[in-house]
């Protein structure tokens, strides 16, 4: 089924009847799809969770009625109706629900995660409210392209309690984004009635954000379509976001199998008297409506028969779609001894400037990155040089990263900044459940070329909430690339490679290195992601580190060379994916391994390297694998405690001496 935009207003009676019949057809498709999905779930032909939208068909069809192929939607865990209304075919959807390889997402997404960005469907979502920041990102892409496209972000009344709702609506208001936040108010947040979840109506909330509010009968498809036609036209003309409340009701429980003890049967029966299909049918010719019913019944049964005949994904495809293939980047030649000297902070700015100049799909966003030029001055001057493409955001980490996710799916290459690595926890869902997983859950349909820049660094009494090295937390998430450079040239080359990469990359700088000086590479300098580098050759012991600790490791190796201990130093550069081959090859040569890192010792990347050495390199080991890292204590504030807590050249050297002597 193809999707074309429609308009309601100055139509003749015949044209209006034809439009209503088409709306009825789309609602009937949703209703029958959901009814048969319920049957198949009970028969165990559909695995996993199933949340149905029976009773809410009019809001989905009416909202999508004026949308064109380039316009976007984001959906919810109750999203079958939305994506069918936007134009997704029922057969591939049914196959997806059954977990078949020919399903919309190759059986990787299931009921709650259906997406097809090619149709403007930027994902149903199992996380309540998560589609809202993503919609802001799709709308940001639309605004930057200035093609008049709009985005509809569907959400339920329960999502209003989420911080992501506030962050997304506020960001959209500040940026005047072309997005409709459409609340399908079915009056229940899972098992809880609306009255127990909120005290302020959506009209008051819209006023608080300074955006337009409208209300519509969500069971009257003509009313929804008329309202949306006007709203969409205003947004195409440059209007800012709108909060639209469509009042409706879900007939089934929160999920299939829900015992529904929280609402009386009489309430459900009363709601069914406002059946969206019956409301539309009363205005249609009975024979025409009956013909549509027969047509849709055949379509859905054919979809079920087709889906049943298909195979599930083959076991050997388990690893497919986790990450997009990377273009090979050769290791660059060593920099000349007489190269110009620059600082790590210069490397960040120059890399951003280079990519903004080279690729119009790149934009930069974050807290004070525009007019303020970043808290460390790293982006100073870029907002003036690239108007509209270096954007200040509110202090809203979930909205910042969610915007990157949506914009990436919509074809942009966002580079967003989280001011301190410690603040990753505030927006972790957008990394953990969205950026890292969407390519996999959509069976490769969603592209995710985005970079999240952040920084950390202990040693200057920044305290426990501004000093943490959290790379192990991020590296544990399949689908994320984590990069931590140790010098200015690598900062430049790795950041450029990260921006060009088709995968989500968290790029972690160490703020204590912003002033570090080193040779300046040529403008086309790139460093391959996922490749470690031997930065000092040695024969007696392998010392692995990353980020600023590499400088301490090199200093320790230089000190130990005077004592006759030859240390081979490896800079990981990329934490995930881990370059196991380079580390194991060095271990095979030296037979001893020490790992030094700034993150706390327990459950860290050093533990993963140790396990790898014991597992894959066991027969090369002549001594215990040892880690040099802070104890499992939050970073202290007092200099006397921080000095004891943080490893240094001397503590690294002491450990290497001990292991070399074994």
């Amino acid at each position: 089924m193809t999707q074309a935009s429609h308009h309601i207003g100055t139509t003749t009676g015949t044209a209006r009847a034809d439009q209503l019949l088409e709306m009825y057809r789309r609602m009937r498709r949703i209703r029958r799809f959901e009814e048969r999905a319920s049957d198949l779930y009970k028969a165990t032909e559909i695995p996993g969770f199933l949340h149905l939208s029976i009773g809410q068909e009019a809001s989905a069809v009416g909202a999508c009625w004026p949308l064109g192929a380039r316009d976007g939607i984001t959906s919810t865990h109750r999203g079958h109706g939305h994506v069918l209304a936007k134009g997704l075919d029922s057969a591939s959807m049914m196959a997806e629900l059954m977990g078949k390889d020919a399903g919309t997402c190759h059986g990787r997404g299931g009921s709650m995660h259906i997406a097809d960005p090619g149709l403007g469907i930027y994902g149903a979502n199992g996380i309540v409210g998560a589609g809202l920041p993503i919609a802001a990102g799709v709308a940001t892409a639309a605004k930057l392209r200035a093609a008049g496209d709009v985005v509809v972000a569907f959400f339920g009344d329960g999502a209003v309690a989420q911080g992501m709702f506030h962050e997304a609506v506020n960001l959209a208001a500040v940026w005047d984004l072309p997005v409709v936040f459409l609340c399908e108010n079915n009056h229940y947040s899972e098992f809880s009635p609306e009255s127990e979840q909120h005290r302020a109506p959506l009209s008051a909330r819209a006023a608080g954000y300074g955006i337009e509010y409208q209300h519509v009968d969500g069971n009257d498809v003509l009313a929804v379509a008329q309202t949306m036609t006007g709203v969409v036209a205003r947004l195409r003309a440059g209007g800012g976001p709108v909060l639209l409340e469509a009042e409706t009701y879900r007939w089934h429980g929160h999920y299939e199998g829900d015992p529904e003890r929280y609402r009386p049967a009489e309430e459900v029966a009363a709601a069914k008297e406002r059946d969206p299909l019956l409301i539309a049918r009363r205005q249609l010719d009975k024979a025409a409506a009956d013909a549509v019913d027969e047509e849709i019944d055949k379509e859905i049964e054919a979809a079920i028969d087709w889906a049943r005949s298909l195979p599930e994904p083959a076991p050997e495809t388990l690893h497919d779609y986790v990450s997009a293939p990377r273009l090979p980047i050769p290791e660059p030649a060593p920099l000349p001894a007489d190269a110009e000297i620059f600082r790590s902070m210069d490397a960040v700015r120059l890399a951003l400037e280079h990519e903004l100049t080279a690729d119009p799909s790149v934009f930069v966003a974050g807290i004070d990155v525009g007019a303020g030029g970043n808290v460390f001055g790293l982006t100073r001057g870029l907002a003036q040089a690239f108007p509209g493409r270096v954007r200040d955001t509110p202090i809203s980490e979930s909205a910042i990263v969610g915007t990157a996710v949506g914009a990436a799916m919509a074809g942009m290459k966002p580079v967003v900044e989280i001011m301190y690595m410690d603040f990753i926890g505030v927006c972790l869902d957008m990394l953990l459940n969205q950026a890292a997983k969407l390519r996999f859950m959509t069976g490769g349909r969603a592209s995710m070329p985005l970079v999240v820049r952040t920084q950390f660094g202990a040693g200057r009494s920044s305290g426990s909430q501004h000093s943490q090295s959290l790379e192990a937390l991020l590296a544990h998430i399949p689908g994320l690339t984590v990069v931590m450079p140790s010098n200015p040239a690598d900062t430049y080359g790795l950041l450029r490679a990260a921006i060009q990469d088709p995968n989500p990359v968290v790029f972690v700088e160490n703020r204590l290195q912003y002033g570090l000086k080193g040779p300046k590479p040529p403008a086309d300098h790139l460093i391959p992601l996922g490749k470690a580098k031997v930065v000092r050759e040695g024969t007696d012991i392998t010392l692995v580190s990353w980020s600023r600790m590499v400088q301490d490791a090199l200093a320790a190796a230089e000190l130990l060379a005077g004592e006759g201990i030859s240390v081979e130093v490896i800079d990981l550069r990329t934490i995930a994916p881990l370059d196991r081959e380079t580390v194991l090859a060095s271990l095979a040569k030296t037979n001893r391994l020490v790992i030094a890192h700034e993150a706390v010792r327990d459950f860290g990347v050093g533990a993963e390297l140790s396990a790898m050495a014991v597992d894959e390199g066991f027969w090369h080991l002549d001594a215990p694998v040892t880690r040099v890292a802070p104890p499992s204590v939050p970073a202290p504030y007092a200099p006397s405690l921080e000095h004891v807590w943080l490893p240094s050249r001397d503590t690294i050297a002491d450990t290497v001496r001990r292991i070399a002597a074994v």
Side-chain angles (χ1 to χ4, degrees), residues 206 374 525 559:
N374 168 276
H525 188 68
L559 178 68

Side-chain angles (χ1 to χ4, degrees), residues 296-636:
I296 294 300
D297 287 352
K298 289 178 180 177
E299 175 191 318
I300 299 303
E301 292 310 309
I304 292 169
D305 290 343
W306 178 73
R308 279 175 171 155
S309 71
L310 301 170
E312 294 182 357
E316 58 267 24
T317 67
L318 173 64
H319 297 276
D320 291 359
Y321 311 118
V322 176
S323 296
R326 291 195 156 101
L327 291 175
I329 296 174
E331 185 69 37
L335 298 177
D338 60 350
E340 180 185 348
I341 300 299
F342 78 149
R343 301 167 298 176
S344 288
M345 62 189 302
D346 303 322
V348 172
R349 182 181 55 78
L350 290 171
L352 293 174
E353 183 178 55
H354 189 288
E355 295 307 307
L356 283 163
T357 301
D359 190 343
S361 68
V362 174
F363 73 92
V364 175
I367 302 162
D368 293 327
V369 301
N374 168 276
V375 68
F376 300 104
L378 305 181
T379 57
R380 200 165 288 154
L382 292 181
Q384 293 73 31
F386 303 95
R389 293 173 59 203
V390 180
R391 307 175 70 87
D392 283 323
T393 68
I395 303 175
S396 303
E397 283 82 4
S398 289
I400 291 168
V401 181
T403 293
V405 171
M409 276 199 285
M412 305 297 282
K413 291 182 180 176
V415 183
V416 297
E417 179 180 303
I418 299 300
M419 190 179 288
Y420 285 79
M421 194 180 193
D422 313 72
F423 305 163
I424 287 290
V426 182
C427 57
L428 187 58
D429 174 71
M430 283 295 151
L431 290 170
L432 169 68
N433 285 316
Q434 312 302 329
K437 291 188 174 73
L438 279 173
R439 187 176 194 277
F440 179 79
M441 291 192 304
T442 63
R445 287 182 182 269
S447 62
M448 203 55 59
L450 67 88
V451 176
V452 177
R453 280 188 50 252
T454 190
Q455 54 79 27
F456 79 108
R460 297 285 176 84
S461 292
S462 297
S464 299
Q465 294 181 347
H466 285 75
S467 303
Q468 296 169 92
S469 188
L470 301 173
E471 64 271 20
L473 182 71
L474 298 170
H476 191 69
I477 301 171
L480 276 190
T481 296
V482 183
V483 177
M484 299 181 75
S486 69
N487 61 70
D490 281 6
T491 298
Y492 178 84
L494 287 167
L495 182 52
R496 284 195 59 229
I499 296 170
Q500 294 178 21
D501 198 71
N503 298 292
V505 179
V506 182
F507 192 89
V508 186
E509 301 145 18
N510 190 300
R511 65 177 172 274
L512 272 65
Q513 286 195 304
Y514 282 145
L516 180 67
K517 295 179 180 179
K520 182 180 179 181
D524 62 354
H525 188 68
L526 287 170
I527 300 287
L529 301 180
K531 292 296 293 181
K533 184 179 182 182
V534 176
V535 292
R536 182 186 176 106
E537 298 278 353
T539 56
D540 295 333
I541 194 162
T542 298
L543 175 56
V544 179
S545 193
W546 51 94
S547 191
R548 186 173 69 93
M549 199 64 69
V550 169
Q551 305 303 327
D552 290 316
L554 287 168
E558 183 65 26
L559 178 68
L560 293 166
E563 303 173 18
I565 301 173
S566 176
V567 180
E568 180 150 296
V569 180
I570 295 177
D571 180 356
L572 281 186
R573 303 192 298 194
T574 300
I575 309 304
L578 186 62
D579 183 355
R580 300 170 185 273
E581 292 77 13
T582 296
V583 176
L584 288 170
S586 179
L587 176 60
K589 179 170 66 170
T590 67
N591 309 117
R592 287 171 170 80
L593 178 61
V594 172
I595 305 129
H597 56 74
E598 193 166 319
V600 294
R601 181 177 185 271
D602 293 4
F603 308 101
V605 177
E608 177 63 27
L609 288 163
S610 300
M612 179 190 74
V614 172
D615 181 9
E616 301 172 53
F618 179 79
W619 300 109
H620 298 300
L621 287 171
D622 288 343
V625 180
T626 307
R627 292 165 288 164
V628 186
S632 190
V633 173

Side-chain angles (χ1 to χ4, degrees), residues 240-291:
V242 174
L243 182 55
L244 176 60
E245 183 174 12
E247 203 157 347
T248 183
Y249 196 87
R250 59 169 162 85
W251 293 10
H252 282 217
H254 170 57
Y255 57 89
E256 290 303 280
D258 176 0
E260 295 189 70
R261 297 189 182 95
Y262 49 88
R263 61 182 185 179
E266 297 79 16
E267 179 183 298
V268 179
K272 289 183 178 181
E273 294 178 7
R274 291 282 298 160
D275 182 348
L277 275 71
L278 289 180
I279 291 172
R281 236 183 186 279
R282 293 185 191 118
Q283 304 174 67
L284 292 170
D285 176 76
K286 183 179 184 302
D290 288 346

Side-chain angles (χ1 to χ4, degrees), residues 77-93:
H77 59 277
R78 199 179 309 286
H80 303 160
H82 306 146
V83 298
L84 283 169
K86 187 60 172 70
L88 197 60
D89 69 288
S90 55
S92 70
M93 267 189 68

